[in-house]
Amino acid sequence: MPERRKSATNPDLLATALFDVAAESGLENASVREVAKRADVSIGAVQHHFSTKDEMLTFALRTLAERMLSRLTQSPAGTDPHVVLFQALSQLLPLDEQRTREAHVLAAFAIRAVTSESLAEIRRTMLFTIRTGICAVLIGIRLPEAETRAALLLATVDGLALDAIGNPGMYPPHYLEYALESQIKLTLHDMEIPDALVSRG
Amino acid sequence: MPERRKSATNPDLLATALFDVAAESGLENASVREVAKRADVSIGAVQHHFSTKDEMLTFALRTLAERMLSRLTQSPAGTDPHVVLFQALSQLLPLDEQRTREAHVLAAFAIRAVTSESLAEIRRTMLFTIRTGICAVLIGIRLPEAETRAALLLATVDGLALDAIGNPGMYPPHYLEYALESQIKLTLHDMEIPDALVSRG
């Protein structure tokens, strides 16, 4: 019913519509047409804000990244590094419906970033921001190899999310929490890790 | 030039064509039409083997999973668990052009598995097979919590691959190798990890 459709909208509503389409039927279905339909606006209204699909995807990823990062950086209660890292990084795991949708769409954007420099730029900034935040916690307790430990902890969270989103039965929420706790404990264990383990001849 | 196109082909060639399209322009572009074009066959020849796109994707993922798993399970030289795990799991990291393409396409299939049960089934089997293989190595040296350590090690590799494919500059091959070595060292360190670190009240 075209007469119900608004001829103008704001980009945040379009980003929400894109997120919903991507979470429910995959990022590959988040076309200008589908986003317009979901937001109940005309195709022209979407094109008014975004002249290309890539521009629309870029705005949607930036909106999602900002939302996730703002939760991640909320100051948690206490200063125990275990608790600080757990509270922050559990925001990235599919522990409830909202985070499951976010983990799915964020991972889909990460794949799409391979063929889109503007998406890759946002993804890179997001990874760098989270790694830097983890690193600050580790440096605060004078752990050696803080950069490497931070990259590994973030990779573990990203990998758990990726492994879990298609297999919720194999990775239920309590298991994911336990896995995150375990990796944090491995990360915070004061051992040297820099020497090469495998000779490359 | 339709006259050059073969009217029949074999499904392995179509799986290769699908992989090439997905590696170069994204899994979302691996349509029946694009796969036919890449394989230089008619659309009808593709439809002869696969009655739906999902069937074609499922066959292509199974082919990719078998190829990657067969490399992973090749018996490496020596029995040092560090070396065994490194040689096997480095097959999953984007350390060269072939593995970069594989990591990209495999991760894209993992996302797509969220909305396709037949893809999810293959993904589940692949994760289970690799986790079981890692677990066997850890149990062989009597490490406690072998299941959890195995899941974390696999998640770290999957996460490193995901973080790296869109950001090759941030995760160059020598860094990925060093990160994998470091996580293996954390994994093989004989420490208890089972107690809950964060109380959930």
Side-chain angles (χ1 to χ4, degrees):
Chain A
M1 288 188 289
E3 66 278 13
R4 284 203 303 116
R5 295 191 175 180
K6 303 168 206 74
S7 63
T9 185
N10 79 59
D12 291 330
L13 291 177
L14 297 178
T16 302
L18 189 151
F19 176 80
D20 289 340
V21 171
E24 284 153 37
S25 56
L27 190 58
E28 70 274 15
N29 289 309
S31 60
V32 169
R33 178 182 299 273
E34 283 302 314
V35 170
K37 197 171 152 193
R38 175 63 65 112
D40 196 24
V41 300
S42 66
I43 290 176
V46 177
Q47 289 167 334
H48 171 74
H49 291 289
F50 308 116
S51 55
T52 64
K53 185 178 174 185
D54 200 51
E55 215 176 273
M56 176 177 74
L57 291 173
T58 302
F59 182 82
L61 174 57
R62 190 175 293 118
T63 304
L64 174 62
E66 280 170 6
R67 184 170 82 210
M68 295 180 80
L69 282 175
S70 106
R71 287 210 315 270
L72 231 86
T73 51
Q74 268 165 18
S75 187
T79 54
D80 180 339
H82 291 101
V83 178
V84 171
L85 291 173
F86 183 87
Q87 288 194 3
L89 294 172
S90 60
Q91 297 302 326
L92 297 174
L93 289 177
L95 296 174
D96 54 29
E97 196 187 329
Q98 168 72 4
R99 282 176 281 182
T100 300
R101 289 161 61 92
E102 287 176 347
H104 170 197
V105 178
L106 185 68
F109 272 120
I111 308 300
R112 189 128 189 157
V114 178
T115 49
S116 161
E117 179 47 35
S118 56
L119 295 179
E121 174 63 31
I122 300 171
R123 169 85 179 146
R124 200 151 42 232
T125 303
M126 186 176 189
L127 287 173
F128 183 77
T129 304
I130 302 173
R131 270 175 56 172
T132 304
I134 298 171
C135 206
V137 174
L138 304 184
I139 287 172
I141 56 171
R142 298 171 191 279
L143 265 184
E145 287 290 300
E147 287 277 1
T148 301
R149 288 172 201 262
L152 288 175
L153 181 51
L154 177 56
T156 306
V157 172
D158 285 342
L160 282 172
L162 182 67
D163 294 349
I165 52 172
N167 295 302
M170 200 167 163
Y171 293 87
H174 67 273
Y175 180 81
L176 290 172
E177 289 184 323
Y178 177 76
L180 174 57
E181 287 172 1
S182 299
Q183 180 69 22
I184 289 172
K185 188 160 178 188
L186 291 177
T187 300
L188 293 178
H189 193 266
D190 183 14
M191 57 181 287
E192 298 286 336
I193 56 172
D195 52 305
L197 295 165
V198 177
S199 67
R200 307 182 195 100
Chain B
M1 289 188 285
E3 66 279 13
R4 283 202 304 115
R5 296 191 174 180
K6 303 170 204 74
S7 63
T9 184
N10 79 59
D12 291 330
L13 291 177
L14 298 177
T16 302
L18 190 150
F19 176 81
D20 289 341
V21 171
E24 284 153 37
S25 56
L27 191 57
E28 71 273 15
N29 288 310
S31 60
V32 168
R33 178 181 300 272
E34 283 303 313
V35 170
K37 196 172 152 195
R38 175 63 65 113
D40 196 25
V41 301
S42 66
I43 291 177
V46 177
Q47 289 166 334
H48 171 74
H49 290 291
F50 308 116
S51 55
T52 64
K53 184 178 175 184
D54 200 51
E55 214 175 275
M56 177 177 73
L57 291 173
T58 303
F59 182 83
L61 174 56
R62 189 174 295 121
T63 303
L64 175 61
E66 280 169 6
R67 183 171 80 211
M68 295 179 80
L69 282 175
S70 106
R71 286 209 316 269
L72 231 84
T73 52
Q74 269 167 18
S75 186
T79 55
D80 180 338
H82 291 101
V83 178
V84 172
L85 291 174
F86 182 87
Q87 289 196 1
L89 294 171
S90 59
Q91 297 303 325
L92 298 174
L93 289 177
L95 297 174
D96 53 30
E97 196 188 330
Q98 168 72 5
R99 282 176 281 182
T100 299
R101 289 162 61 92
E102 287 177 347
H104 171 198
V105 178
L106 185 67
F109 271 121
I111 308 300
R112 190 132 190 155
V114 179
T115 49
S116 161
E117 178 46 35
S118 57
L119 295 179
E121 173 64 30
I122 300 171
R123 169 85 179 146
R124 200 149 45 232
T125 304
M126 187 176 188
L127 287 173
F128 183 77
T129 304
I130 301 172
R131 271 174 57 172
T132 304
I134 298 171
C135 206
V137 174
L138 304 183
I139 288 172
I141 55 170
R142 298 173 191 279
L143 264 185
E145 288 288 302
E147 287 278 1
T148 302
R149 288 172 201 262
L152 288 175
L153 182 52
L154 176 56
T156 307
V157 172
D158 285 342
L160 283 172
L162 182 68
D163 294 349
I165 52 173
N167 296 302
M170 201 168 164
Y171 293 87
H174 67 273
Y175 180 81
L176 290 172
E177 290 184 323
Y178 177 76
L180 173 58
E181 288 172 359
S182 299
Q183 180 68 22
I184 290 172
K185 188 161 177 188
L186 291 176
T187 301
L188 293 178
H189 194 267
D190 183 14
M191 57 180 288
E192 298 288 334
I193 56 172
D195 54 307
L197 295 166
V198 179
S199 66
R200 307 182 196 103

